[in-house]
Each structure stands twice: as structure tokens, then as C-alpha cells.
Amino acid sequence: SLTMGVAQAQEPDLSEPPEIDGEVITEDLGSHTLRLGIGLAESSPQYLSSQYFADILDERTEGRISVEIFPNSQLGDDVQMMEMLQTGSLDMTYPSTSPATTYVPELAVFDLPFLFPTRESAVEVMNSDVAQDMLDSFEESDIKALAFSENGYRQLTNSVRPVESPEDVAGIDVGGLTIRTMENDVQLSIWEALGANPTPMAFGEVFSAMEQGVIDGQENPWSTILTSNFYEVQDYGSETRHVYTPFILMMSMQTWDQLDPQYQELVQEAARKSAEYEIQLATEYDDWSREQLEERGMEITRLNDEQVAEFQEAVEEVYDEWAPEIGEDVVEEVQSIVADVQDE
Ligand code: TK8
């Protein structure tokens, strides 16, 4: 047959989206087409869960609310799309928390390095009142923030050398790696502390910047490194897990205000359900993506506890610098939630 010899697309053993249940709104409360711009590719947990969000709204409004998803930063990057929400020129987006700190500075707590020893502790914080307050604070900026989900543990990749210590990042005699960071000052501090040359840049520009050698490397979860094809231009990966960052699914307040209250309630419910599904998919993708990257030729360095501790010590100063800015109370509250989860 014609398909013989074509490699099968490999997929992780992904959970099916939960069955769509709950009341169907049969009354005509208006029709809406919502444009949702996202940064990542069609194969990402971000896209697949957005599709589930769309399916819930479609089924439960008899097709009166439809969601059109625009992947791969094609409508803009996180910063631009949040601005489009404010002006009402885009209905929805799904940014990382890091570039959203310009709206809600407390969100920078998620940028602190080595804050979450486990995924469970991060999820517990995302479900907490302190996190809900952060979502509510977006209203002042004409944005309705609906739910947190998982971007995930970030790992370092580069095209120059294997990295197993901060010294490898700083390249004592040969010069520090030029690492793209998110547009966020805490992230910048982390990479300065490690002796890199950090270069903030929008996500959509990262692939070509690496391809052209403008930057040596970047850091993102394994799933993104895989689904955005970064392995094509990055030979080395290190499992640093230096930061865990969330995503936030959000809507323009102008769009939100046009929705009937029953639709608003449904949108909020669908956002929560799709966020839960996203976290599940992201979890399933994580180790699987690392294995896929190894199969595709990336040399991946797993760090032992001592090596992780070296990175942790090198970035300790980031807490001293940023905890007062973020708010000691917020940092302590988050740390106590983490400690409670770890004690269980
Ligand atoms: C996608 C971004 C991306 C983030 C980054 O829009 O910028 O590195 O991790 O996933 O939000």
C-alpha cells in the first residue's frame, strides 16, 4: 500500500477527554464564535485541552457557542495576545503566568526556582485561595482569568555542550551560554545567577533564533521541546526542573460581558474541566516526551541529587532579591501549602 514505510506518528498513551455531561442549555441565549489564540502546536496538551473546552461548549449550547483555536503563536505571542484581550480584538488566550506578571505581580511567585518539589504541590497551590485571588486581580485589566493549568517543569536545552552544573552554563573559560528566557524579570535573575547571557524573547521567535544561532539555548518543559520541534536545532538537554510554571486560560472582559450569565457559568465550568484535563495530559506527556527526544538523538543529562543541589544553591539569591517584591506574605503562604502537601 502507499502508506507502507511511512513512520507511524507516535503518541503517548493519552487519557481520552472525560465524557461531556451536565445540563444542555436548549434556550437560545445568543450565538458566539470565540477566537482562542494559543502559543503551542496542535499536538500539545494546551491545544488538545482547548479542543475539549470547545467541545464542551459546543455540546452544551447546541452549537451556539463555538470556539476557533489558532495555534503556534499565529495571532501573536503571549504578551501581544493579552493586549488584544484588553482591547477586545481577541476573545481568548492561554499564556504562561510569567509574562502575565505585568498585570498581576504576585504571579511571579511561580517564577521562583525550585519552589515545587512535586507536581502535586504545584496543583494544590493552583487550586488555593491565594491563586484564585490572582485570577480575580486580572479584572482590573479588563481580563477574565478563568483557570490555571500546567505548563510544567522547565528543562534546559542548548546546541553547544552538555550541561550538568552551573559551571557548564557559565562556561568559566569559554563564556556563558546565551539562553532565551521568557519576558519576566525573575527568570532573567535566575539565568544571570547561573552565569548565562539571558535574552528575553517571545516564544514564537525562539525556534528561528536557535536555528540561526542567535541564541544557544532555551528552557521549557519536555513536551514543548518535542511538540515545537526544538530538538531539530538543540543537541543537548538537561533535566534541571528549575521552575514549574502554570498556564492561565483567559477571556477578554468585553467578550465575557456579552455572554448571558448562564453562558458565563458554563464557560467557567468548561474552563475548569479542560484545565484539569490539561494537567492530566501534561503529566502523561512529560517523561514520554523526554524519551521521544532521546530517540530523536537529543543527548539528555539526568541530574543526581547533588547536581540539582548545586543549581539550587546557585539561584538561592533569587529569593532574597524577589520575595520582597512579590510579597513575603504570598511567598510564605505558597511555601506553607507546599510544605503541607509534602508532609501528607
Ligand atoms: C507559549 C508560551 C510558552 C512558554 C514560553 O505561548 O514562552 O517559553 O513556556 O509555552 O507560554
Side-chain angles (χ1 to χ4, degrees), residues 237-267:
S238 297
E239 194 155 55
T240 47
R241 293 164 59 97
H242 51 279
V243 176
Y244 176 103
T245 51
F247 283 130
I248 299 177
L249 182 59
M250 50 176 72
M251 183 180 270
S252 165
M253 195 58 88
Q254 295 184 35
T255 306
W256 178 257
D257 287 340
Q258 284 165 15
L259 299 176
D260 181 276
Q262 282 191 63
Y263 279 173
Q264 289 179 343
E265 205 179 311
L266 178 60
V267 164

Side-chain angles (χ1 to χ4, degrees), residues 202-219:
F203 179 77
E205 293 163 24
V206 175
F207 185 94
S208 62
M210 293 190 298
E211 195 175 35
Q212 291 162 15
V214 176
I215 50 174
D216 298 320
Q218 64 83 49
E219 42 85 57

Side-chain angles (χ1 to χ4, degrees), residues 38-40 46 73 78 94-96 151 154 180 182 203 219-221 224 245 247:
I38 67 172
L40 301 183
Q46 188 183 54
S73 311
D78 286 351
Y94 210 151
S96 292
N151 188 355
R154 306 180 74 89
R180 174 269 177 174
M182 291 187 285
F203 179 77
E219 42 85 57
N220 253 295
T224 298
T245 51
F247 283 130

Side-chain angles (χ1 to χ4, degrees), residues 255-322:
T255 306
W256 178 257
D257 287 340
Q258 284 165 15
L259 299 176
D260 181 276
Q262 282 191 63
Y263 279 173
Q264 289 179 343
E265 205 179 311
L266 178 60
V267 164
Q268 180 63 74
E269 183 190 335
R272 290 217 179 90
K273 286 186 167 155
S274 68
E276 260 174 55
Y277 179 50
E278 197 277 345
I279 293 170
Q280 191 175 346
L281 289 179
T283 307
E284 291 166 358
Y285 250 93
D286 199 17
D287 286 345
W288 177 83
S289 300
R290 190 197 57 233
E291 287 159 21
Q292 283 295 308
L293 290 167
E294 278 176 331
E295 265 179 47
R296 289 162 203 226
M298 192 180 249
E299 184 184 323
I300 293 182
T301 305
R302 313 280 291 268
L303 305 177
N304 63 34
D305 291 350
E306 271 166 47
Q307 290 170 320
V308 172
E310 270 187 64
F311 277 93
Q312 206 164 345
E313 271 163 42
V315 296
E316 196 60 53
E317 65 191 62
V318 174
Y319 278 78
D320 305 331
E321 187 185 350
W322 285 101

Side-chain angles (χ1 to χ4, degrees), residues 23-90:
E23 200 195 327
V24 174
I25 302 173
T26 55
E27 194 185 340
D28 184 355
L29 301 173
S31 292
H32 303 271
T33 301
L34 307 178
R35 295 162 77 237
L36 164 58
I38 67 172
L40 301 183
E42 284 95 333
S43 49
S44 67
Q46 188 183 54
Y47 184 93
L48 298 172
S49 65
S50 295
Q51 190 58 59
Y52 179 53
F53 174 74
D55 289 345
I56 295 174
L57 293 179
D58 179 63
E59 274 198 34
R60 292 185 55 189
T61 64
E62 299 188 318
R64 290 193 180 88
I65 299 182
S66 65
V67 179
E68 241 182 292
I69 309 166
F70 298 86
N72 292 315
S73 311
Q74 59 184 270
L75 299 185
D77 59 57
D78 286 351
V79 171
Q80 292 165 330
M81 289 195 285
M82 283 188 280
E83 286 170 3
M84 289 163 79
L85 257 51
Q86 289 187 283
T87 62
S89 57
L90 177 65

Side-chain angles (χ1 to χ4, degrees), residues 170-192:
I172 303 302
D173 298 321
V174 288
L177 295 171
T178 302
I179 301 296
R180 174 269 177 174
T181 71
M182 291 187 285
E183 293 155 291
N184 173 286
D185 290 337
V186 184
Q187 302 287 330
L188 204 62
S189 292
I190 291 172
W191 293 98
E192 275 167 2

